[in-house]
């Protein structure tokens, strides 16, 4: 025992008193112990948080991780999820669900490593095991109200040639600060902004506490980038290639379980594509080359490897006699097609030389080439490098990511697809995405009798009528043109109702990871239904808003006017972008296609992406004569690396609502699909734009221009050739 001592030679008073003190009795010792215990209890009760506050704290963390999107607009609900309300109470997990939870498997070390603080934040948002215990009975549930997100439209003033990052002046003689064009909330044109009626009633009845979402990107995060190790190298396409082995491909879309946070390498001595239209006929072989493509080029005259280039002779294609002669043959068979007016949007299945789409470009028809995932030659990548619209997908057990009644015409030449197999399911999917009254063109060189009979029987089962048949001596192809019925009258006259009509609850609009059902959807009957009438001739259909839109006519019209002004006043001259090198454009969060419509007079084509968690506006985009797909940006996009010259992201990240496990993976995907020297236009709230700028700088992207006002901003950035 340690004792305190006084000066040397003299005993301390404390020690002297201790020696004279009589020993304590048992009762005194018990009294002291009780007093100490009571004081400890009083102190702990006063200072420690109550169980109720602890419960509310954990519920906030859990509820933030599962926050719902704003309610959809008046057009249609989201396609692949149950409806979500703006206001809802947190629902703790049941004991049964907690028993089934397992610890997440150990994943590989991420290639983009955030700081420990950022990792802790994400674990609170995404870890299912961090959910709270069920509330005790008779305790009130806390009520939360999430602040509505305002997205005022931001237009950049015209550029005066200064790319220093400062806002340029609108007029030479105007010394005032440049004014931003803010769109009224009613013309914001994002259907997600509309308020849920039920939530509005609850908001009027009582005041609720407001809570903001945690930041999408942690400002404290630091990223260390690494290259992907896939064998496919600079051709790596995550949802197509087998994990770790790019020599084989999935038959259907199958994305990695963990978000892809590695960077795809560049080909050696990568070179920028030539401006359009030169790139249509000549591309750099090194940008897309691989052994299978080299072997394929040796056997086809329309694809010549000359030195460092792949050359596509204008008069050569996969069609003997040329694609123009092939199109002329179809015109003679069906003069009513009226390319470029009556027929505006085409789907070409099985991408080869893309000669069909190139020939139709001259007729003002936009043809989307569908490269199939079982194509080991990657000809869709070649088409995109040439500046031809293309995407990759699979014809299997799932629907294609297009809305119903999308395409005016579908074409398939020597694609060797067994349309009649498996109950004709693939033909049923073609029937879904083909517009009522639309055309299906199929041609083959050496078709066997059994397949032709099977296909004819399948066509008859879906009531497609053969309107023309011809065997062309020049192309050596047998061409058949079918037409889908424009009404349900022919379906009702079938002697055998196989395939049967789909039930009402089987939605024909859902198309994201949706299995193909063996049933036919009825054609629209009422004038108020989309597809009951053929759209206006192109280009009138771009600015004609049909009656079936109802109240959305005003909204779509305002969207068109707004983006036309933004593109003309800001984008074409005010962002430092050289548009002569822009051909492939991707709008990552299209609403009604206003951005694409504003660029329709330019020598570009735009892929409009409608996120799967947003209201279903993609049918409107197709109705206007534009193309697009559904996609979930929490997953990689279905395209090859370096596919696009420009990416447009208008408030994409602020709409994610912390849906994605690793939001930074979206930026990694942008880096993958954008070519070096390509551009990105990002419009966002400053709370998101600032950390985005830091991440893009870590990727060595060049920040060409930024403009900010109040809580909104716009950024023009350029991808470089940097790789870690």
């Amino acid at each position: 025992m340690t004792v305190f001592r006084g000066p040397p030679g003299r005993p301390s008073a404390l020690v002297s008193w201790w020696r004279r003190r009589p020993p304590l009795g048992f009762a005194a010792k018990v009294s002291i112990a009780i007093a100490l215990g009571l004081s400890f209890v009083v102190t702990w009760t006063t200072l420690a948080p109550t169980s109720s506050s602890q419960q509310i704290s954990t519920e906030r963390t859990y509820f933030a991780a599962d926050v719902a999107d704003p309610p959809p607009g008046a057009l249609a609900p989201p396609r692949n999820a149950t409806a979500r309300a703006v206001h809802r109470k947190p629902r703790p997990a049941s004991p049964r669900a907690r028993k089934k939870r397992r610890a997440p498997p150990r994943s590989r070390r991420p290639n983009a490593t955030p700081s420990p603080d950022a990792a802790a934040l994400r674990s609170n948002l995404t870890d299912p095991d961090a959910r709270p215990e069920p509330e005790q009975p008779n305790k009130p549930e806390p009520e939360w109200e999430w602040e509505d997100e305002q997205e005022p439209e931001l237009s950049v003033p015209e550029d005066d040639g200064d790319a220093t990052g400062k806002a340029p002046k609108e007029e030479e003689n105007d010394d005032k600060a440049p004014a931003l064009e803010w769109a009224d909330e009613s013309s914001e044109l994002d259907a997600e902004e509309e308020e849920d009626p039920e939530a509005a009633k609850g908001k009027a009845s009582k005041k609720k506490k407001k809570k903001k979402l945690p930041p999408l990107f942690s400002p404290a995060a630091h990223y260390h980038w690494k290259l992907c190790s896939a064998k496919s190298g600079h051709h790596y396409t995550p949802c197509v290639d087998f994990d770790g082995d790019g020599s084989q491909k999935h038959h259907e879309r199958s994305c990695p379980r963990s978000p892809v946070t590695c960077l795809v390498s560049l080909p050696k001595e990568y070179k920028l594509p030539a401006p359009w239209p030169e790139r249509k006929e000549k591309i750099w072989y090194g940008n897309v080359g691989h052994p299978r493509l080299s072997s394929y080029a040796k056997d086809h005259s329309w694809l010549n490897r000359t030195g460092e280039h792949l050359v596509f002779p204008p008069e050569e294609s996969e069609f003997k006699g040329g694609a123009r002669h092939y199109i002329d043959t179809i015109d003679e068979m069906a003069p009513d097609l009226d390319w470029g007016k009556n027929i505006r949007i085409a789907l070409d299945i099985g991408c080869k030389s893309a000669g069909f789409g190139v020939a139709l470009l001259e007729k003002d028809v936009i043809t989307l080439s569908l490269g199939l995932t079982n194509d080991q030659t990657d000809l869709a990548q070649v088409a995109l490098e040439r500046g031809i619209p293309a995407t990759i997908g699979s014809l299997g057990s799932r629907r294609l990511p297009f809305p119903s009644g999308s395409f005016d015409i579908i074409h398939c030449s020597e694609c060797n697809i067994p349309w009649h197999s498996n109950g004709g399911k693939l033909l049923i999917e073609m029937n879904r995405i083909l517009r009522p009254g639309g055309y299906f063109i199929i041609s083959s060189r050496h078709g066997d009798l059994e397949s032709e009979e099977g296909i004819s029987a399948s066509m008859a089962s879906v009531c497609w009528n053969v309107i023309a048949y011809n065997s062309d001596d020049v192309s050596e192809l047998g061409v058949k043109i079918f037409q889908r019925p424009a009404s349900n009258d022919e379906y009702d006259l079938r002697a055998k109702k196989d395939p049967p009509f789909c039930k009402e609850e089987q939605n024909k609009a859902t198309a994201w990871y949706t299995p193909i059902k063996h049933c036919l959807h009825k054609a629209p009957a009422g004038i108020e239904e989309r597809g009951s009438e053929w759209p206006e001739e192109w280009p009138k259909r771009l600015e004609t808003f049909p009656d079936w839109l109802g109240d959305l006519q005003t909204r779509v019209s305002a969207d068109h006017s707004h983006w036309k002004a933004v593109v003309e006043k800001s984008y074409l001259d005010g962002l430092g972008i050289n548009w002569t090198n822009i051909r492939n454009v991707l709008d990552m969060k299209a609403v009604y296609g206003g951005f694409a419509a504003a660029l329709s007079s330019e020598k570009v084509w735009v892929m409009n992406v409608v996120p799967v968690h947003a209201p279903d506006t993609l049918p409107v985009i197709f109705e206007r004569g534009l193309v697009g797909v559904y996609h979930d940006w929490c997953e990689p996009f279905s395209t090859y690396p370096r596919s696009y010259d420009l990416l447009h992201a208008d408030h994409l990240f602020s709409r994610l609502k912390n849906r994605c496990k690793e939001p930074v993976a979206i930026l990694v995907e942008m880096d993958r699909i954008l070519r070096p020297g390509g551009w990105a236009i990002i419009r966002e709230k400053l709370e998101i734009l600032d950390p985005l700028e830091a991440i893009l700088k870590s990727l060595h992207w060049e920040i060409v221009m930024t403009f900010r006002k109040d809580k909104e901003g716009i950024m023009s950035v350029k991808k470089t050739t940097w790789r870690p």
Side-chain angles (χ1 to χ4, degrees):
M1 185 176 91
T2 303
V3 296
F4 296 91
R5 300 182 181 274
R10 294 182 57 187
S12 66
L14 178 61
V15 174
S16 301
W17 174 81
W18 182 267
R19 291 175 178 174
R20 295 193 302 268
R21 182 190 60 82
L24 294 175
F26 176 79
K29 292 180 180 179
V30 173
S31 300
I32 293 174
I34 294 174
L36 291 174
L38 290 175
S39 62
F40 176 81
V41 171
V42 172
T43 304
W44 175 259
T45 304
T46 304
L47 298 180
T50 63
S51 60
S52 176
S53 64
Q54 290 174 345
Q55 181 68 25
I56 292 176
S57 176
T58 54
E59 283 172 356
R60 287 186 179 184
T61 303
Y62 164 59
F63 192 41
D66 194 31
V67 62
D69 293 328
L75 183 63
R79 291 157 299 286
N80 67 328
T82 56
R84 297 169 176 171
V86 174
H87 309 291
R88 66 178 184 184
K89 298 179 181 180
R91 292 180 294 179
S94 64
R96 181 179 179 182
R98 287 198 309 276
K99 289 180 181 180
K100 293 184 178 181
R101 292 197 189 104
R102 299 178 179 177
R106 293 185 61 184
S107 59
R108 294 173 293 180
R109 183 178 179 181
N111 296 298
T113 308
S115 65
D117 293 340
L121 175 61
R122 281 199 309 275
S123 66
N124 289 336
L125 295 175
T126 60
D127 186 5
D129 293 329
R131 295 178 181 177
E133 295 292 329
E135 294 186 68
Q136 298 296 329
N138 302 325
K139 286 193 176 183
E141 295 180 345
E143 296 178 348
W144 307 103
E145 176 184 344
W146 299 92
E147 294 182 348
D148 293 335
E149 296 187 355
Q150 304 295 328
E151 287 188 8
E153 289 294 347
L154 183 72
S155 300
V156 178
E158 297 180 5
D159 194 2
D160 61 354
D162 184 10
T164 59
K166 296 182 180 180
K169 297 179 181 179
E170 286 187 313
E171 299 180 4
E172 294 182 0
N173 299 327
D174 190 3
D175 296 330
K176 296 181 181 180
L180 294 175
E181 297 180 0
W182 299 94
D184 184 71
E185 185 178 357
S186 61
S187 64
E188 161 52 25
L189 317 167
D190 193 333
E192 298 178 30
E193 292 292 335
E194 296 186 5
E195 188 175 9
D196 191 316
E198 296 298 327
K201 293 179 181 179
K203 184 176 181 180
S205 62
K206 61 173 71 175
K207 286 187 176 182
K208 299 180 180 180
K209 297 180 181 179
K210 293 185 178 181
K211 179 180 176 64
K212 290 185 177 180
L213 291 171
L216 190 64
F217 301 101
S218 173
H222 299 282
Y223 299 93
H224 307 283
W225 305 107
K226 295 182 180 179
L227 291 179
C228 298
S229 59
K231 290 184 180 180
S232 50
H234 50 265
H235 300 291
Y236 180 48
T237 307
C239 298
V240 174
D241 295 338
F242 283 167
D243 294 345
D245 186 0
S247 61
Q248 300 184 49
K249 297 182 178 180
H250 295 288
H251 292 293
E252 293 200 299
R253 180 179 174 87
S254 181
C255 299
R257 292 184 179 181
S258 300
V260 178
T261 54
C262 59
L263 304 183
V264 177
S265 60
L266 290 180
K268 294 181 179 179
E269 299 181 359
Y270 177 84
K271 297 180 181 180
L272 300 182
W276 180 267
E278 182 182 348
R279 67 190 287 186
K280 179 176 62 176
E281 299 176 359
K282 183 174 66 175
I283 62 175
W284 295 102
Y285 175 79
N287 290 359
V288 297
H290 55 84
R292 289 190 184 88
L293 180 61
S294 178
S295 176
Y296 186 86
K298 294 178 182 179
D299 300 329
H300 296 83
S301 61
W302 50 265
L303 180 63
N304 299 328
R305 182 178 178 183
T306 305
E308 295 182 326
H309 291 93
L310 275 179
V311 180
F312 304 85
E315 301 301 325
E316 294 282 345
S317 72
E318 69 266 31
F319 307 103
K320 285 188 176 182
R324 290 187 181 92
H325 171 79
Y326 179 72
I327 299 295
D328 292 340
T329 301
I330 296 175
D331 284 339
E332 294 176 0
M333 297 170 60
D336 295 338
L337 288 181
D338 201 3
W339 300 106
K341 293 183 178 179
N342 186 45
I343 301 297
R344 164 62 181 173
I345 307 174
L347 178 68
D348 187 19
I349 298 177
C351 186
K352 291 185 180 178
S353 71
F356 183 75
V358 172
L360 288 180
L361 275 177
E362 302 173 0
K363 296 179 177 291
D364 220 2
V365 175
I366 181 169
T367 304
L368 183 62
S369 296
L370 178 65
L372 302 179
T373 55
N374 57 3
D375 173 23
Q376 299 293 324
T377 315
D378 298 336
L379 294 176
Q381 184 182 28
V382 176
L384 287 164
E385 188 73 12
R386 297 176 64 189
I388 309 300
T391 186
I392 52 178
S394 61
L395 289 174
S397 63
R398 299 173 186 161
R399 290 178 174 178
L400 294 172
F402 307 116
S404 60
S406 305
F407 295 96
D408 304 334
I409 196 167
I410 298 176
H411 174 258
C412 178
S413 176
E414 295 190 276
C415 48
N416 299 320
I417 294 175
W419 298 108
H420 60 289
S421 64
N422 197 17
K425 276 192 174 182
L426 297 183
L427 195 61
I428 290 175
E429 175 61 3
M430 296 300 102
N431 187 81
R432 185 187 71 87
I433 64 175
L434 184 63
R435 179 181 296 279
Y439 302 90
F440 184 88
I441 302 175
I442 185 171
S443 61
S444 60
R445 194 179 308 273
H446 303 292
D448 61 276
L449 182 61
E450 182 179 353
S451 296
E452 289 185 0
E453 291 178 351
I455 292 175
S456 298
S458 298
M459 298 292 185
S461 68
V462 295
C463 297
W464 286 10
N465 299 314
V466 181
I467 63 172
Y469 173 77
N470 184 34
S471 181
D472 183 50
D473 295 333
V474 177
S475 63
E476 299 179 0
L477 290 173
V479 183
K480 281 187 178 181
I481 303 178
F482 298 85
Q483 186 176 23
R484 179 189 171 185
S487 66
N488 295 311
D489 296 340
E490 295 187 41
Y491 296 115
D492 295 332
L493 295 176
R494 290 182 300 168
K496 185 179 180 182
K497 301 296 190 296
D498 186 29
F501 280 126
C502 299
K503 298 179 180 178
E504 293 184 0
E505 61 269 18
Q506 292 175 324
N507 191 352
K508 63 181 178 181
T510 56
W512 187 249
Y513 287 103
T514 303
I516 300 174
K517 300 294 184 182
H518 185 74
C519 62
L520 288 177
H521 293 281
K522 290 186 176 181
I527 192 173
E528 72 282 355
E529 296 183 69
R530 180 183 66 89
S532 58
E533 295 183 352
W534 199 272
E536 293 284 343
E537 291 185 350
W538 178 265
K540 291 182 180 179
R541 67 190 285 182
L542 185 65
E543 300 184 30
T544 301
F545 312 115
D547 294 336
W548 61 263
L549 281 172
D551 295 338
L552 285 176
Q553 285 180 315
T554 303
R555 187 178 282 266
V556 179
S557 177
D559 177 75
H560 178 79
S561 301
H562 167 73
W563 282 110
K564 184 177 181 180
V566 170
V567 169
E568 291 178 354
K569 295 180 180 179
S570 303
Y571 282 14
L572 295 181
D573 298 317
L575 299 181
I577 298 174
N578 182 6
W579 285 88
T580 60
N581 291 328
I582 303 298
R583 171 62 184 171
N584 303 346
V585 179
L586 180 69
D587 191 359
M588 301 179 69
K589 192 183 77 69
V591 182
Y592 299 119
F595 172 68
L599 290 174
S600 60
S601 60
E602 302 297 319
K603 296 179 180 179
V604 302
W605 70 275
V606 182
M607 175 68 83
N608 296 276
V609 177
V610 173
V612 294
H613 62 279
D616 187 5
T617 57
L618 193 54
V620 181
I621 292 173
F622 273 94
E623 193 76 10
R624 302 183 67 186
L626 307 169
V627 296
V629 293
Y630 297 120
H631 181 61
D632 185 352
W633 283 112
C634 296
E635 299 180 2
F637 192 63
S638 292
T639 192
Y640 292 96
R642 305 170 301 281
S643 294
Y644 289 93
D645 306 318
L646 185 141
L647 307 179
H648 183 249
D650 178 34
H651 291 84
L652 169 71
F653 298 94
S654 58
R655 289 301 180 196
L656 291 175
K657 304 290 187 182
N658 289 341
R659 295 182 70 254
C660 305
K661 183 178 181 181
E662 290 278 1
V664 74
I666 304 170
L667 290 169
V668 173
E669 180 63 4
M670 293 173 65
D671 182 88
R672 187 185 72 87
I673 64 180
L674 184 65
R675 67 167 174 84
W679 295 79
I681 303 173
I682 304 175
R683 305 162 65 95
E684 267 300 347
K685 301 177 180 180
L686 292 185
E687 62 187 27
I688 295 179
L689 195 67
D690 290 338
L692 273 178
E693 182 175 348
I695 298 174
L696 291 175
K697 286 181 177 179
S698 73
L699 289 167
H700 292 252
W701 285 27
E702 179 185 353
I703 311 298
V704 177
M705 193 280 299
T706 59
F707 191 80
R708 292 169 169 82
K709 181 179 179 181
D710 298 332
K711 297 181 179 180
E712 298 286 325
I714 184 172
M715 180 166 53
S716 172
V717 293
K718 186 177 183 181
K719 179 183 171 181
T720 65
T721 58
W722 175 84
R723 295 288 92 174

